[in-house]
Amino acid sequence: MTPQETLDFARKNDARQIDLRFTDIPGLNQHISYPISMLDEDAFEDGFGIDGSSIRGWAAINESDMLILPDPSTAFMDPFAEIRTLVMLGDIVDPITRQHYDRDPRWIAKKAELYLKNSGLADTAYFGAEAEFFIFDNVRFDQNQHSGFYFIDAEEGRWNSGREENNLGYRPRYKEGYFPVPPTDHYQDLRSEMVATMLECGLNIECHHHEVATGGQCEIDQKFDTLVKSADNMMLYKYIVRNVAYQYGKTVTFMPKPIFGDNGNGMHTHQSLWRDGKPLFAGDNYAGLSQIAFWYIGGLLRHARALSAIIAPTTNSYKRLVPGYEAPVNLAYSRRNRSAAVRIPMYSNSPKAKRVEFRPPDPASNPYLAFAAMMMAGLDGVVNKIDPGEPLDKDIYDLSPEEMRKIPSMPAALDEALTCLEEDHAFLTKGDVFSEEMLETFVSYKRRNEAEAVRLRPHPYEFALYYDI
């Protein structure tokens, strides 16, 4: 919508306030609300003043004054607000220079799209991400100087099979939640309401289902879209999932690995390049791919260890990325084989359906940064004609130790991933998509506030291992 169309949309829907949203570096949605009377056509150019000093990873206190400019193309009515509220995403700019803020993740994603178009290799990158999540009934956690614990519970959790009161059975076994019908699948109706709300807000949904794990693991698949739009959609997807569950007295987490001994939450990301409305990944090579697609895969695999800091950006991510379990840590590609980091889906022979699926990402990542970084890695592969090597069509878990040693793997911990990013990030700074200063800030924030913070604290299981040593 244009600014005027957005104003008309607000009047038609009797909007009484506007809610402007943006995203911090770790990927959490932030917002600020105004009476609808504050919104006129000039506001789309003039913006609204905000204080950025308390936003994680953003400006220092002496550079905290910023403007947020509403993007009329993102407008929708908030389905959860009691007061009729028009929501728009906003872009962050400097109030003096009027330049976009380099640490605004959405601007980084926009720069990635501009870089792609200016490269002449393609003009559009499509992304389709499958973000998994858990629906729990209760969560408790705390950490202080003398104690630390977490406790989660879910009516659907297999661990409740021995409960005495109000126990009707029908719970997915561990690793067997893919995908029985109700009543074993407890959340068919809840997911259906999530989907209905998503459609109401303009998202394009393909399907929904229970996922592999017990305890309410689910997935709702969105249709692919352009890079920035897909990231916008992922933020709205998370907002709707959390709030519909909250209305039902449930709580949702996108943590990569909240349950020990069962599958974690991934965000398998399908991606492809197009030019002049034509797909560039379709060809006559292995799995029906083009040479450009192979080079793109080569870029993803070459830079995967550096990418891991952005696409699997938490200490908890590496509880999921463990060799021999469900997550693909081995840096290889294959058609159909889900044990490879890059899979080429074979559902359709249509050239428009040809794409590559990168499987290590998880939904704890900031989608603006994750999608931009993956595209930059793939594009670096195309520019430098990086050979991805031979495909891996065997089951990785059946390979001999000698064969396994030849296959590189993802980092084993966040700190290692951050070091990989420090050592390999030139592909991200091309076209000033990611600035050196932004990457330094990202690494410093993650290392100090997450990797080191977790490493300094005793783990509950350490008491079981070592208390009597």
Side-chain angles (χ1 to χ4, degrees):
M1 291 188 284
T2 65
Q4 184 56 56
E5 288 171 337
T6 302
L7 293 172
D8 293 341
F9 178 77
R11 281 191 289 270
K12 178 181 177 181
N13 287 278
D14 193 28
R16 296 173 59 188
Q17 66 177 8
I18 55 170
D19 193 58
L20 301 182
R21 298 182 183 176
F22 57 98
T23 307
D24 65 10
I25 288 178
L28 189 66
N29 241 346
Q30 311 285 332
H31 77 135
I32 183 169
S33 300
Y34 302 88
I36 195 65
S37 59
M38 296 291 289
L39 185 68
D40 55 25
E41 280 200 77
D42 290 340
F44 291 91
E45 292 290 335
D46 298 339
F48 295 84
I50 63 170
D51 175 7
S53 63
S54 295
I55 304 302
R56 295 182 297 176
W58 276 26
I61 192 71
N62 60 317
E63 299 175 338
S64 60
D65 288 349
M66 298 179 180
L67 292 175
I68 180 168
L69 271 58
D71 182 345
S73 70
T74 64
F76 68 94
M77 295 300 297
D78 192 323
F80 306 107
E82 290 188 19
I83 303 299
R84 299 287 292 168
T85 300
L86 175 72
V87 179
M88 283 181 283
L89 300 183
D91 294 311
I92 308 300
V93 302
D94 186 289
I96 299 175
T97 66
R98 303 292 296 189
Q99 296 295 310
H100 286 274
Y101 185 48
D102 269 347
R103 297 190 198 178
D104 177 5
R106 193 166 188 258
W107 172 233
I108 292 170
K110 286 187 173 184
K111 285 192 291 183
E113 287 190 325
L114 290 171
Y115 177 74
L116 176 65
K117 291 177 181 177
N118 291 336
S119 74
L121 298 169
D123 52 38
T124 306
Y126 284 113
F127 281 78
E130 305 168 351
E132 298 165 345
F133 55 92
F134 279 92
I135 302 172
F136 295 144
D137 289 277
N138 186 44
V139 58
R140 295 185 286 120
F141 51 87
D142 199 8
Q143 178 81 53
N144 53 43
Q145 284 75 11
H146 67 280
S147 66
F149 74 95
Y150 72 90
F151 179 86
I152 55 178
D153 200 13
E155 164 60 32
E156 196 197 71
R158 187 68 178 182
W159 58 86
N160 275 318
S161 293
R163 194 178 65 194
E164 290 187 12
E165 71 282 0
N166 192 30
N167 191 346
L168 302 179
Y170 296 115
R171 296 181 177 89
R173 300 174 185 87
Y174 292 100
K175 294 184 177 292
E176 292 188 21
Y178 199 84
F179 12 59
V181 299
T184 304
D185 176 2
H186 287 209
Y187 297 121
Q188 171 70 16
D189 288 339
L190 182 55
R191 287 196 311 273
S192 295
E193 182 156 339
M194 291 173 179
V195 168
T197 306
M198 290 175 185
L199 294 172
E200 178 187 336
C201 292
L203 295 182
N204 194 338
I205 303 303
E206 293 184 331
C207 68
H208 68 90
H209 56 83
H210 201 286
E211 259 297 338
V212 175
T214 192
Q217 190 185 34
C218 299
E219 180 181 309
I220 300 173
D221 289 344
Q222 302 183 64
K223 187 175 176 60
F224 66 88
D225 212 318
T226 55
L227 191 156
V228 172
K229 185 61 177 172
S230 288
D232 289 345
N233 291 346
M234 183 57 67
M235 298 307 297
L236 179 54
Y237 170 96
K238 287 184 172 183
Y239 177 72
I240 291 171
V241 165
R242 290 189 180 110
N243 278 277
V244 171
Y246 193 75
Q247 289 182 329
Y248 277 73
K250 309 286 186 181
T251 179
V252 159
T253 184
F254 290 91
M255 273 182 68
K257 191 73 171 181
I259 296 179
F260 169 68
D262 211 338
N263 280 33
N265 289 325
M267 189 179 73
H268 304 153
T269 304
H270 299 253
Q271 42 205 290
S272 62
L273 298 180
W274 291 54
R275 184 175 61 233
D276 299 326
K278 297 180 180 179
L280 299 182
F281 278 11
D284 299 324
N285 296 314
Y286 171 86
L289 293 183
S290 67
Q291 183 60 63
I292 287 178
F294 278 109
W295 289 333
Y296 191 97
I297 292 170
L300 285 174
L301 295 178
R302 170 76 61 85
H303 299 297
R305 288 175 58 80
L307 285 175
S308 62
I310 297 173
I311 64 169
T314 71
T315 59
N316 187 250
S317 299
Y318 299 87
K319 304 293 194 297
R320 168 181 171 262
L321 292 174
V322 176
Y325 289 84
E326 83 274 6
V329 300
N330 301 287
L331 299 178
Y333 72 96
S334 175
R335 59 186 173 193
R336 304 182 69 180
N337 189 343
R338 283 172 163 80
S339 61
V342 175
R343 184 180 75 95
I344 299 100
M346 300 298 293
Y347 298 121
S348 171
N349 291 322
S350 169
K352 293 181 179 181
K354 284 301 171 186
R355 60 196 187 274
V356 299
E357 176 193 13
F358 195 45
R359 296 175 65 80
D362 67 54
S365 61
N366 183 322
Y368 296 105
L369 303 183
F371 297 167
M374 283 186 278
M375 191 208 72
M376 294 298 288
L379 203 60
D380 187 65
V382 176
V383 170
N384 293 294
K385 300 181 179 179
I386 297 175
D387 184 0
E390 294 299 315
L392 184 67
D393 286 332
K394 300 178 182 178
D395 188 334
I396 285 178
Y397 307 124
D398 289 338
L399 297 181
S400 68
E402 182 178 333
E403 290 174 306
M404 283 295 298
R405 279 193 292 271
K406 297 178 182 178
I407 303 174
S409 63
M410 296 287 282
L414 177 59
D415 204 48
E416 182 185 351
L418 293 169
T419 299
C420 291
L421 181 59
E422 288 177 314
E423 295 172 348
D424 175 24
H425 62 262
F427 70 98
L428 294 173
T429 60
K430 291 180 179 179
D432 196 35
V433 173
F434 287 79
S435 68
E436 289 279 358
E437 191 263 351
M438 161 62 189
L439 291 170
E440 289 172 4
T441 298
F442 180 89
V443 170
S444 175
Y445 177 90
K446 286 286 180 179
R447 185 163 274 145
R448 181 181 66 253
N449 295 286
E450 297 180 30
E452 291 182 3
V454 170
R455 186 169 60 247
L456 288 171
R457 288 162 169 79
H459 189 285
Y461 195 59
E462 290 178 316
F463 284 82
L465 290 173
Y466 309 127
Y467 187 78
D468 59 351
I469 200 166

